[in-house]
Amino acid sequence: MQSPKRWLAIAGVTLLSLVAVGGLSVAIYTAWLFHDLPDAGDLADYRPPTSTRAYAWDGTLIGEFSRERRIFVPYDSIPPQLALAFLAAEDRSFFRHKGVDPAGIARALGRAVPSLIQGRRLQGGSTITQQVAKNVLLTNDATLGRKFKEALIARRLEETLTKPQILELYLNEIWLGYRSFGVGAAAFNYFGKSINELSLSEAAFLAALPKGPDNYHPLRRKAQAIARRNWVLDQMAELQWITAADAARAKAEDLVVQAAPARARYRDADYFVEEVRRQGRAALGDRLDAAGLYVRTTLDPELQSDALRALMNGLEVYDRRHGWRGAFARTTYGPGWAKAAERFRAPSERRDWRVAIVSEVSGRGIRVETQKDAQKGWLAPSDVAWVRAGKGLNPGDLVFVEPAAGSFRLKQIPAVNGALVVVEPNTGRVLALVGGYSFSLSSFNRATQARRQPGSTFKPFVYATALENGYTPASTVLDSAITLSGRDGEDWSPENYTRSYLGAMQLRRGLELSRNTMTVRLAQGVGMRKIRDTAVRMGVTASMEPVLAMALGAGETTPLRITTAYAAFVNGGRRVTPHLIELVQDSKGETVLRADRRDCPRCDAAFTGAESPRIAQSGEQVLDPITAYQITSMLQGVVQRGTAASVSSLGFPIAGKTGTTNDYRSAWFIGFTPQMVVGVFVGFDDNRTLGPGETGTQAAVPIFIDFMQGAQSRLPKTDFKAPRNARFATINGIREAFRPGTEPRITAPPSNLTPDGLPIRPLPYDQLGRPGGEGAGPPVRRPDDMSGLY
C-alpha cells in the first residue's frame, strides 16, 4: 500500500506535466495563430480604396468610378459632432484605452460559448481600433482565433499610429450601407450633402449604422433607424458632448433620405462618362477605380444637354413620321393594374414620361390613366389621329404619355438610333458626345463603336486631295453618266441622286450639289491611292481599299472619327486627336495623365517683361492651309446653295456636308463653325433602311439645326479666316481662294455653260442608257452594298 505522500507526489508531477503540455499547446497554438499576422506598420501610409471622380470643364461632377464607393476625408476635415456621434455609439473610451477595452472583451467572452454552441457570430467588445484591424488587416471570419488576432493587432496599431490617425482610418473605411464606404460617401448618398452640411440628427443616424446598415435601413426599417439614431443622441447627451436640449431637438426631426444612393447631379452625360471610364481604364488600369483620382474632362455641360435634347427630339420626330407601332404591353384594366405595370419604366432621360393604361376608346377619343399617380385624361387629338393611322389602341394597352395642358401626349420609344458629337477643332477636345437615344435602354455607343459608311460626307476628302494635286477651284469636271468595268466582269454605273446630269461644272458646284458621277470622275483623275492616303492621314479611317466606290463613301468609319477629321478644314489643315480626358491628378495633386503633351519652354520662368513663351500648335499638318480653307469655303456653299440650304436659316457662318448611304441606311450631316465641329448620324442598329427619302437633309440636318439653335447663343458670330498668303479671284460671282500663282487671269465661264460657252441642257434620265441599279457597287463588291447617294 502506497503512502499518501507518494500519491501527492504523483498528482503533483501529473499536474505539472499537464500544465507544461497545456502551456506548450498554447504556445504552439499561439505561434500558429499569429505567424502570419500583418504588420501594423503598413498602415502608416495606408489609404483605403477611394472613388475617382470625373468633372466637366466647369467643375460639374459628372461621374464616379470605384470598386468601393468612398470619398476620403482627412481627420482635420471631419466635423467634431460627427466624430463624437461615432465615439458615443461605438467606443466612448477610445481616447483612453490602448486599443483593447478589457471590460468589453470580458463581456464578449461571456457570450462566446453560447454563441458558438448556437452557431451565431461572435459580436461585441471591439473597440474602434479593433474594428480598424478587422476591416483593414484581417479577414471577417467570426472565430475566437480572429478575435485574439484582432486584439493583438489593435495593440500594435496603437503603438504605430496616433489616435486621430486611427479614427481617420475608421471613419473612411467603415461600411455604412447605401453603396457607401466611409462617412464622406454616406453623407452624399443618404442625404446628398457633404459631411460639413450634416445636421446633428443626420450625423447621429450615420453613427447608428455600423452595427448593421440593413437593420436600420432608413426606408425599409425607418422606425428601427429612428430608434437607433435617438439612442446615439441619448448617449451623446449622457456623456455631456451635447446638451439635453440639443438632443431633444435632433430627436424630434424626421429621418428623410434620398430614395436611392446619390449619384452625380448632372444626368445628361452617361455615354460620355462611360467612354471616359473606358479610356481611363485603358490608360491607368486598376488605379482608375481605387486611387481616388481627379479627372478633368473636356465636357461642356450646356452643349451636352443641348446635344442630348436635339438627338432625342430628332429621333422621335423621325419615328413619329413612320407611324404608331402599338402599345408596348397589355394588362387588364381594373384594381391592381398599376402593380402589374411596375416592371415597366420610361427611358430615364425622359423624366416627364409616365407609364399609363388605356381605359377608354370611343368616339370621344382615347382616355388614359397614369400608373404612378393615377392621373386620368384624354390623349391630344393629333395623337388620336396618329394612333388610328397606325396599329391602334384598345383598353388595357400600356403606353407612355407626357402630361400636357389639359391632356396627355402619346409617346413612343424610337426604334431608330443615332449619335451626335461636338469637337473643338483646334485641340480635339470632345465638348459633347451622345452615343444613342437612351443610355438606360442601350449602352452601345454609336458615336465611338458603330462603324458605318459615311456616304457623301466623305466627298470633301476627295476634293481636298484633288486641290492638293493640281486642281484649283476654277477646274471643271464632267457630270455625266459613267460605266466602269470591274475586275470580275461586273459593270458599275454610279448615278446622281436626282438621276439627272449637268455637264461640265467647277469643283465648288459639284460639291455643293453632291454630284456622284462628277466625284467619281474627279477620283479617277486624282487616283484612289492618293485619296486613300489622304483619308488615312486625316484620320477618317485606319485603312481603306483604293477603289473608286470609296470616293462615294463606301468605306466605314465612326461618327467621332469623321467628325474629328473635318476639324482639319477649320484649323488650317492640322490633324487633331479627339480626347475626352484633359487631365488626371492623384490625391496629392500630382499629374498622372495629361492630354496636351506639348512642351512649353520658359512657361515656369518668372515674368521679366520679355516676350511671352510661344507654344507650338498641336497636331500634324496634313493639308495645306489654303486647301483647308478652299474646302471650308465650298462647304459654306453647301449650306448657302446646296443640299443643306435649310441650315442657312441659323443666320451665321456655317459650313457642312450631308451624307446618305445606299438604300437610305444611314443619314449624316457634319457641320462646323470656327469654334466647333458637329457630327450627326442617324441609322438603325441592324443597318436596315431608314425608308425612301430619309436622306441626310431630311433626317440629320434638322437635328443639327435644333442643336445649334441652343448652342448659338454662346458662340461668337465670326467668319472663317483665310490664310494670309491666299490669293482670290471671282468665279461666277463667288470669291474663290487660290494658292499663289494658280489664280486665273480671266473669269471662268458660268457653271451652266460648257468650256466653249455653249449652254448645258440636262438630259432626261431615260436618254442616258444607264445600266445597272441604283447605287450599284464597285468592282470588288456586290452592287447592293454601295453607298454615296446624297
Side-chain angles (χ1 to χ4, degrees):
M1 183 175 180
Q2 295 181 345
S3 67
K5 289 184 178 182
R6 184 174 179 83
W7 282 110
L8 288 173
I10 293 173
V13 171
T14 302
L15 180 60
L16 290 174
S17 298
L18 291 174
V19 169
V21 170
L24 180 61
S25 299
V26 169
I28 294 173
Y29 175 73
T30 301
W32 171 83
L33 190 64
F34 298 130
H35 79 283
D36 60 346
L37 277 182
D39 184 0
D42 292 341
L43 283 178
D45 296 317
Y46 173 78
R47 286 293 181 270
T50 51
S51 302
T52 289
R53 311 189 90 189
Y55 297 86
W57 73 273
D58 66 350
T60 300
L61 177 64
I62 61 174
E64 293 183 74
F65 314 132
S66 62
R67 292 192 301 269
E68 298 177 355
R69 193 169 191 179
R70 179 184 286 106
I71 302 169
F72 188 85
V73 183
Y75 179 80
D76 291 341
S77 299
I78 298 171
Q81 72 174 14
L82 180 62
L84 292 173
F86 275 87
L87 293 176
E90 295 294 313
D91 189 356
R92 60 173 61 191
S93 60
F94 172 72
F95 282 98
R96 296 193 303 271
H97 64 61
K98 298 297 184 182
V100 177
D101 180 4
I105 291 291
R107 289 192 299 269
L109 290 175
R111 293 189 295 265
V113 175
S115 295
L116 289 173
I117 292 174
Q118 297 172 25
R120 291 187 284 114
R121 294 174 62 88
L122 295 176
Q123 295 181 351
S126 291
T127 64
I128 280 178
T129 311
Q130 288 175 269
Q131 292 184 57
V132 169
K134 177 187 70 174
N135 293 335
V136 178
L137 295 176
L138 302 173
T139 66
N140 203 31
D141 299 332
T143 62
L144 193 60
R146 202 223 64 210
K147 278 288 185 182
F148 282 124
K149 285 185 177 183
E150 184 182 291
L152 184 58
I153 289 294
R155 293 300 300 270
R156 291 184 181 178
L157 282 174
E158 293 279 349
E159 296 169 357
T160 304
L161 304 179
T162 65
K163 288 288 188 178
Q165 287 176 315
I166 294 171
L167 188 56
E168 177 185 82
L169 281 173
Y170 172 76
L171 292 176
N172 282 286
E173 182 72 28
I174 190 71
W175 165 245
L176 296 172
Y178 242 45
R179 294 176 53 208
S180 306
F181 287 86
V183 292
F188 186 71
N189 287 346
Y190 281 104
F191 302 110
K193 299 179 178 181
S194 70
I195 59 172
N196 292 318
E197 298 171 316
L198 293 175
S199 68
L200 175 60
S201 174
E202 291 165 342
F205 167 71
L206 296 185
L209 294 171
K211 284 292 188 286
D214 288 340
N215 297 332
Y216 307 111
H217 193 282
L219 299 177
R220 296 193 298 267
R221 298 186 175 184
K222 185 173 181 178
Q224 294 93 325
I226 290 176
R228 177 71 177 176
R229 176 203 69 183
N230 292 348
W231 177 84
V232 173
L233 291 166
D234 288 338
Q235 296 300 302
M236 295 178 73
E238 178 183 313
L239 292 164
Q240 298 183 352
W241 292 347
I242 60 173
T243 67
D246 289 337
R249 282 192 296 270
K251 289 164 66 175
E253 291 182 18
D254 191 12
L255 177 57
V256 180
V257 299
Q258 300 182 122
R263 51 171 289 176
R265 293 286 185 269
Y266 185 69
R267 301 291 300 275
D268 291 346
D270 287 335
Y271 283 107
F272 186 98
V273 171
E274 185 57 31
E275 185 65 16
V276 168
R277 182 199 304 271
R278 189 187 68 80
Q279 293 186 11
R281 281 188 176 149
L284 302 168
D286 293 340
R287 292 185 66 188
L288 183 73
D289 294 325
L293 303 175
Y294 162 80
V295 179
R296 189 177 74 214
T297 73
T298 59
L299 185 79
D300 182 320
E302 292 186 3
L303 291 179
Q304 178 70 22
S305 294
D306 287 339
L308 178 62
R309 172 190 51 77
L311 183 66
M312 294 188 78
N313 288 347
L315 296 178
E316 288 172 12
V317 168
Y318 166 90
D319 190 68
R320 188 177 181 91
R321 197 159 59 231
H322 288 266
W324 169 248
R325 297 192 305 275
F328 62 78
R330 283 187 54 80
T331 189
T332 302
Y333 180 58
W337 82 264
K339 184 73 174 176
E342 284 182 348
R343 63 190 180 95
F344 299 106
R345 293 285 186 274
S348 62
E349 296 84 356
R350 286 306 194 203
R351 300 174 187 105
D352 294 332
W353 286 19
R354 304 285 185 271
V355 174
I357 192 169
V358 176
S359 60
E360 179 184 338
V361 178
S362 65
R364 296 179 59 193
I366 300 175
R367 188 172 174 82
V368 297
E369 177 183 330
T370 60
Q371 181 262 342
K372 197 166 186 179
D373 46 16
Q375 292 185 19
K376 299 178 181 180
W378 297 91
L379 291 183
S382 60
D383 291 332
V384 174
W386 182 42
V387 165
R388 289 175 175 166
K391 293 289 185 68
L393 281 174
N394 297 293
D397 283 343
L398 295 179
V399 295
F400 294 118
V401 298
E402 185 177 55
S407 64
F408 289 96
R409 298 305 310 270
L410 183 64
K411 297 297 178 180
Q412 178 173 259
I413 296 175
V416 72
N417 232 300
L420 193 156
V421 296
V422 184
V423 177
E424 202 284 315
N426 290 303
T427 62
R429 296 171 66 242
V430 179
L431 304 178
L433 182 148
V434 185
Y437 175 77
S438 168
F439 188 86
S440 64
L441 299 177
S442 168
S443 61
F444 178 69
N445 194 329
R446 294 148 193 90
T448 60
Q449 295 174 303
R451 294 185 56 82
R452 294 299 178 85
Q453 294 178 340
S456 292
T457 58
F458 183 79
K459 288 177 181 174
F461 303 99
V462 177
Y463 283 73
T465 307
L467 291 169
E468 294 268 275
N469 288 274
Y471 288 78
T472 76
S475 300
T476 59
V477 176
L478 187 64
D479 176 35
S480 65
I482 183 172
T483 298
L484 302 167
S485 297
R487 291 193 294 264
D488 57 0
E490 183 178 7
D491 290 341
W492 177 47
S493 299
E495 60 181 12
N496 294 324
Y497 178 76
T498 60
R499 299 182 180 180
S500 65
Y501 301 89
L502 301 178
M505 290 190 297
Q506 288 157 1
L507 296 193
R508 168 183 290 277
R509 198 60 180 153
L511 189 55
E512 288 177 353
L513 298 178
S514 200
R515 310 302 287 179
N516 286 342
T517 58
M518 180 176 169
T519 302
V520 170
R521 277 195 166 86
L522 183 63
Q524 271 188 310
V526 175
M528 278 305 302
R529 293 188 184 279
K530 292 181 179 178
I531 293 170
R532 184 268 317 275
D533 293 345
T534 297
V536 172
R537 189 170 64 249
M538 295 183 71
V540 180
T541 183
S543 62
M544 190 179 82
E545 293 181 85
V547 295
L548 280 172
M550 298 298 174
L552 301 183
E556 291 183 337
T557 186
T558 67
L560 181 59
R561 288 195 73 146
I562 194 167
T563 300
T564 307
Y566 266 64
F569 300 138
V570 191
N571 65 28
R574 291 177 291 108
R575 175 179 177 173
V576 294
T577 302
H579 62 276
L580 287 73
I581 299 174
E582 193 77 52
L583 180 74
V584 179
Q585 293 179 324
D586 62 19
S587 59
K588 297 179 181 179
E590 298 292 331
T591 298
V592 297
L593 184 68
R594 184 166 60 96
D596 189 349
R597 298 181 180 179
R598 293 176 296 170
D599 292 329
C600 182
R602 299 189 295 111
C603 279
D604 296 331
F607 179 69
T608 61
E611 182 183 14
S612 299
R614 292 181 179 270
I615 305 176
Q617 290 183 317
S618 61
E620 174 192 359
Q621 195 74 36
V622 292
L623 283 181
D624 185 286
I626 295 178
T627 300
Y629 180 77
Q630 289 169 328
I631 294 297
T632 293
S633 178
M634 291 179 184
L635 294 181
Q636 281 186 279
V638 173
V639 169
Q640 294 163 356
R641 296 172 295 275
T643 58
S646 58
V647 175
S648 63
S649 64
L650 290 168
F652 57 94
I654 297 177
K657 185 70 186 76
T658 54
T660 310
T661 61
N662 185 71
D663 199 26
Y664 305 95
R665 290 175 182 167
S666 298
W668 296 80
F669 182 70
I670 302 176
F672 54 90
T673 71
Q675 298 81 28
M676 65 176 67
V677 187
V678 181
V680 178
F681 158 75
V682 177
F684 286 98
D685 286 343
D686 59 6
N687 205 25
R688 68 179 184 267
T689 180
L690 291 167
E694 293 292 354
T695 63
T697 303
Q698 172 81 348
V701 164
I703 296 173
F704 175 85
I705 293 174
D706 188 11
F707 168 76
M708 292 303 295
Q709 285 172 337
Q712 66 176 329
S713 62
R714 300 186 296 279
L715 291 176
K717 307 303 186 288
T718 56
D719 208 341
F720 299 97
K721 293 182 179 180
R724 292 182 178 180
N725 61 334
R727 300 290 184 266
F728 290 89
T730 299
I731 309 292
N732 295 330
I734 298 174
R735 190 167 179 259
E736 299 282 9
F738 292 85
R739 285 196 186 88
T742 66
E743 66 272 23
R745 296 182 180 180
I746 59 172
T747 302
S751 61
N752 61 342
L753 300 179
T754 69
D756 298 326
L758 300 176
I760 296 174
R761 180 172 59 86
L763 296 175
Y765 171 72
D766 56 6
Q767 289 183 282
L768 300 174
R770 178 187 61 86
E774 181 177 52
V780 296
R781 295 195 180 183
R782 289 172 49 83
D784 58 355
D785 284 342
M786 288 302 99
S787 63
L789 288 179
Y790 183 45

